[in-house]
Amino acid sequence: MSRGTDRLLKSLKQFADLQYKLFTRRYGQQLIDIFDFPIKLVLSPFTIAFDVAGSAPRGFGVPEFISKLSYSAIFAVATLGTYDIALELGKKVLCQRNCGTCNGWQGLQCTMCKGLGKVQYQVKSYTLKSGEKPSAEYIADAIVENRAELVHLPSTLDLHVPLPSKDCPTCDGSGVMKCPECKNKLQIRISADDIMEPPWQAHNVLRKMDYPYEHIIHSMRDPSIAAFWLITMPEIVGGFKYDDEVKQKIWWQYKESMRYDQLRDVVAKRKPGWEYLQEALISIDPVRAKDDPIVVKNIPHYKAKRALEAEVMKLNPPSRPENWGELDLPLNASAWSEQDLKDPKKLYEMTVLLNAQREIADKILDAQWETKWRQEKVNEMLEEKVRPYIQDMDNGVLPRPIIMQPPTNQDK
């Protein structure tokens, strides 16, 4: 039994020695070069300098001085050049971390305030001191002294009521929040991809380029032009062809996006029932409708103001005061010399032009006066109608939209 074990061990040793010799013969020098490369790279400034400087001719006296000077210059240039190359390679290898969320900016537009830096809030609960009542002044003191619990409302939520605002707690009022993917992560990656810039990088940039053509948004209302921008143009630039299924998805997405624009055109006409269509407009795209000037946020106030404007339009404005308004007229009597005025035709020309200019200027000033008077009249009538409903905010109790009512307990 022991002889068999010895033979097995001997054969295994011979096999291992044979494989080691074959491996060292084939790959030994390559492994030595691989492990020796970092050492050579670090010592290369000195070895290259000594090799190059060693070839400089030597002599005595002035030639010896020149030889030593050239030796030092070659050593300095070789050292700085080698380290500069190593530094550039290091910049290529140690590069910034790629982030598909923020594209390396490490920041995004705040999702709470949409970049405005301000958010509206409601008071959920508060604690008042003895003898205080829930007025604006005492509630504000409770908020400042952290005796009130606030509920911050995101910018996308619109309650159509006036609410107080404060700095956004998510971005500290800057409008920019930290990228969630880059937060608490090292912003450096080790990669050899950037050592050589690929030739297709310019092609990828061209494919992602946004062409600054004018009126492209308005032209997209035409389905034939939209088909060119969405399907034909990417195929020409990218050098590929969409499948029928992909084309169908792109076209469905285009029709879905055009629903908002088509409904917006109908709402803008303000025909009877437009307020119900506006609710459908908000439900399609709440974020876009929030900043859309066509969307009316306070419909009762808008209708009341339009009624006042219609009532004011029926009134006849008073005549314009004598010295109201001033226009910079291009012509005056000094444009004609005394010699010209001696000619009856020139005198008649001056009279006609100055009178026509005066009539046109009077019409412009009358239109400006009428517009100003009607606007002031609307504001005056609006103030008269709203004044009875204005409460004293210093002594009165804050309204319900600002103070959230506690939920009633149904288990009682």
Side-chain angles (χ1 to χ4, degrees), residues 7 12-13 73 111 178 183 215 255 278 286 300 323 341-342 353 405:
R7 290 178 181 177
L12 290 175
K13 183 178 180 182
T111 56
K178 292 183 178 180
K183 191 176 182 180
H215 309 297
K255 287 187 174 181
Q278 177 177 284
N323 298 325
L341 296 179
K342 293 179 180 179
L353 290 177
Q405 299 298 319

Side-chain angles (χ1 to χ4, degrees), residues 4-238:
T5 305
D6 293 340
R7 290 178 181 177
L8 178 62
L9 292 175
K10 188 176 181 181
S11 61
L12 290 175
K13 183 178 180 182
Q14 292 177 354
F15 177 77
D17 292 341
L18 179 61
Q19 295 297 324
Y20 175 75
K21 291 179 180 179
L22 292 175
F23 181 80
T24 53
R25 186 181 303 170
R26 292 181 180 179
Y27 308 105
Q29 188 62 36
Q30 297 179 6
L31 291 176
I32 292 173
D33 294 340
I34 292 174
F35 289 114
D36 194 34
F37 176 74
I39 300 175
K40 289 183 178 180
L41 181 64
V42 175
L43 298 179
S44 59
F46 305 99
T47 57
I48 293 175
F50 278 111
D51 294 340
V52 176
S55 62
R58 286 176 169 77
F60 301 94
V62 176
E64 183 182 5
F65 173 74
I66 297 175
S67 177
K68 290 183 179 180
L69 185 62
S70 63
Y71 175 88
S72 303
I74 293 173
F75 180 81
V77 170
T79 303
L80 295 176
T82 306
Y83 277 120
D84 182 65
I85 295 173
L87 183 61
E88 290 296 328
L89 289 176
K91 291 180 180 179
K92 296 286 187 178
V93 175
L94 297 176
C95 47
Q96 188 178 9
R97 176 178 173 270
N98 289 332
C99 179
T101 304
C102 66
N103 294 327
W105 290 99
Q106 303 181 24
L108 296 171
Q109 185 186 49
C110 181
T111 56
M112 189 72 174
C113 64
K114 292 297 180 182
L116 300 176
K118 298 286 185 180
V119 290
Q120 294 180 334
Y121 66 90
Q122 289 181 308
V123 182
K124 184 176 182 181
S125 61
Y126 54 88
T127 303
L128 298 177
K129 297 180 181 179
S130 59
E132 294 180 349
K133 58 181 179 179
S135 62
E137 181 180 358
Y138 294 127
I139 294 293
D141 293 340
I143 294 174
V144 173
E145 297 174 2
N146 293 326
R147 290 186 284 109
E149 183 180 358
L150 306 180
V151 176
H152 298 92
L153 304 177
S155 181
T156 54
L157 183 61
D158 193 356
L159 301 180
H160 301 288
V161 292
L163 292 174
S165 60
K166 62 188 295 289
D167 289 344
C168 177
T170 305
C171 62
D172 297 331
S174 63
V176 180
M177 63 181 240
K178 292 183 178 180
C179 176
E181 297 295 332
C182 299
K183 191 176 182 180
N184 299 327
K185 290 183 180 179
L186 187 63
Q187 301 301 319
I188 297 176
R189 66 182 178 93
I190 301 176
S191 175
D193 297 337
D194 296 335
I195 292 179
M196 294 183 62
E197 295 183 358
W200 56 84
Q201 184 174 2
H203 178 66
N204 291 335
V205 170
L206 180 64
R207 288 177 55 187
K208 297 179 180 179
M209 186 182 297
D210 293 331
Y211 295 90
Y213 293 114
E214 297 180 356
H215 309 297
I216 185 173
I217 297 178
H218 300 287
S219 66
M220 291 289 285
R221 297 176 182 269
D222 189 347
S224 59
I225 299 178
F228 171 78
W229 286 113
L230 297 175
I231 299 176
T232 308
M233 187 68 177
E235 289 180 346
I236 295 173
V237 176

Side-chain angles (χ1 to χ4, degrees), residues 143-409:
I143 294 174
V144 173
E145 297 174 2
N146 293 326
R147 290 186 284 109
E149 183 180 358
L150 306 180
V151 176
H152 298 92
L153 304 177
S155 181
T156 54
L157 183 61
D158 193 356
L159 301 180
H160 301 288
V161 292
L163 292 174
S165 60
K166 62 188 295 289
D167 289 344
C168 177
T170 305
C171 62
D172 297 331
S174 63
V176 180
M177 63 181 240
K178 292 183 178 180
C179 176
E181 297 295 332
C182 299
K183 191 176 182 180
N184 299 327
K185 290 183 180 179
L186 187 63
Q187 301 301 319
I188 297 176
R189 66 182 178 93
I190 301 176
S191 175
D193 297 337
D194 296 335
I195 292 179
M196 294 183 62
E197 295 183 358
W200 56 84
Q201 184 174 2
H203 178 66
N204 291 335
V205 170
L206 180 64
R207 288 177 55 187
K208 297 179 180 179
M209 186 182 297
D210 293 331
Y211 295 90
Y213 293 114
E214 297 180 356
H215 309 297
I216 185 173
I217 297 178
H218 300 287
S219 66
M220 291 289 285
R221 297 176 182 269
D222 189 347
S224 59
I225 299 178
F228 171 78
W229 286 113
L230 297 175
I231 299 176
T232 308
M233 187 68 177
E235 289 180 346
I236 295 173
V237 176
F240 57 87
K241 191 172 183 61
Y242 285 125
D243 296 335
D244 293 337
E245 184 178 355
V246 176
K247 291 182 180 180
Q248 191 66 30
K249 290 182 179 180
I250 294 175
W251 198 247
W252 284 345
Q253 188 175 4
Y254 164 73
K255 287 187 174 181
E256 185 68 21
S257 63
M258 289 302 296
R259 286 177 55 200
Y260 183 94
D261 295 323
Q262 294 171 356
L263 191 59
R264 184 181 184 274
D265 295 339
V266 178
V267 174
K269 296 178 181 178
R270 304 300 183 197
K271 293 183 178 181
W274 63 268
E275 59 271 14
Y276 304 105
L277 295 177
Q278 177 177 284
E279 295 179 2
L281 197 66
I282 297 174
S283 64
I284 292 175
D285 193 346
V287 178
R288 182 179 175 184
K290 179 176 174 56
D291 300 327
D292 196 336
I294 298 298
V295 177
V296 179
K297 296 183 178 180
N298 195 339
I299 296 178
H301 178 270
Y302 175 81
K303 289 185 175 181
K305 189 173 182 180
R306 290 299 297 270
L308 284 178
E309 291 176 355
E311 185 177 347
V312 171
M313 288 299 294
K314 298 177 182 179
L315 302 177
N316 294 323
S319 58
R320 177 172 58 89
E322 285 292 334
N323 298 325
W324 186 90
E326 184 178 357
L327 292 177
D328 188 10
L329 302 178
L331 295 178
N332 50 42
S334 62
W336 288 267
S337 62
E338 296 181 358
Q339 189 67 26
D340 294 336
L341 296 179
K342 293 179 180 179
D343 188 356
K345 294 182 179 179
K346 294 287 185 180
L347 180 61
Y348 179 73
E349 176 186 331
M350 182 190 71
T351 305
V352 171
L353 290 177
L354 292 180
N355 291 337
Q357 179 181 253
R358 186 70 260 171
E359 291 179 2
I360 295 174
D362 289 339
K363 290 181 180 179
I364 294 175
L365 291 175
D366 290 340
Q368 293 178 355
W369 163 257
E370 182 178 349
T371 303
K372 181 177 180 297
W373 181 84
R374 293 187 188 281
Q375 185 63 37
E376 292 177 352
K377 193 66 176 178
V378 168
N379 295 334
E380 182 183 349
M381 296 177 64
L382 186 63
E383 184 180 357
E384 292 178 357
K385 292 181 178 297
V386 172
R387 186 181 294 111
Y389 302 98
I390 296 178
Q391 297 179 355
D392 188 3
M393 297 302 295
D394 294 333
N395 299 322
V397 177
L398 288 180
R400 179 170 298 180
I402 298 178
I403 303 296
M404 297 179 61
Q405 299 298 319
T408 57
N409 192 353

